[in-house]
Amino acid sequence: MWYKSDLDEELYDIQEEVELHEDRMRFAAGMSDFFFIVLGVIVILILVLLLISLTNWLRQDIRSTILNLNVR
């Protein structure tokens, strides 16, 4: 036979399990956010380096083109 105290304990245990599961999910979501932010920063840095490399290459190419035009 079920008593009110048994039902209360059962509900408390279920609520505790749900809260524990929610805490784990919040932690996992926070860690994934952290890793994706770090990954995004790394990608941005790589893109900035590629952009700097491209501008340096373009500057050198323009200089060599102008020098070749002046020689002729």
Side-chain angles (χ1 to χ4, degrees), residues 19-32:
E19 288 175 4
L20 184 62
H21 178 72
E22 288 174 351
D23 289 343
R24 286 186 196 144
M25 294 304 288
R26 248 186 248 113
F27 176 76
M31 289 303 292
S32 66

Side-chain angles (χ1 to χ4, degrees), residues 50-68:
L50 285 172
L51 189 60
I52 290 170
S53 175
L54 176 66
T55 56
N56 287 336
W57 172 81
L58 188 60
R59 188 179 309 141
Q60 289 174 358
D61 192 46
I62 290 172
R63 282 182 190 159
S64 67
T65 303
I66 290 174
L67 287 175
N68 282 339

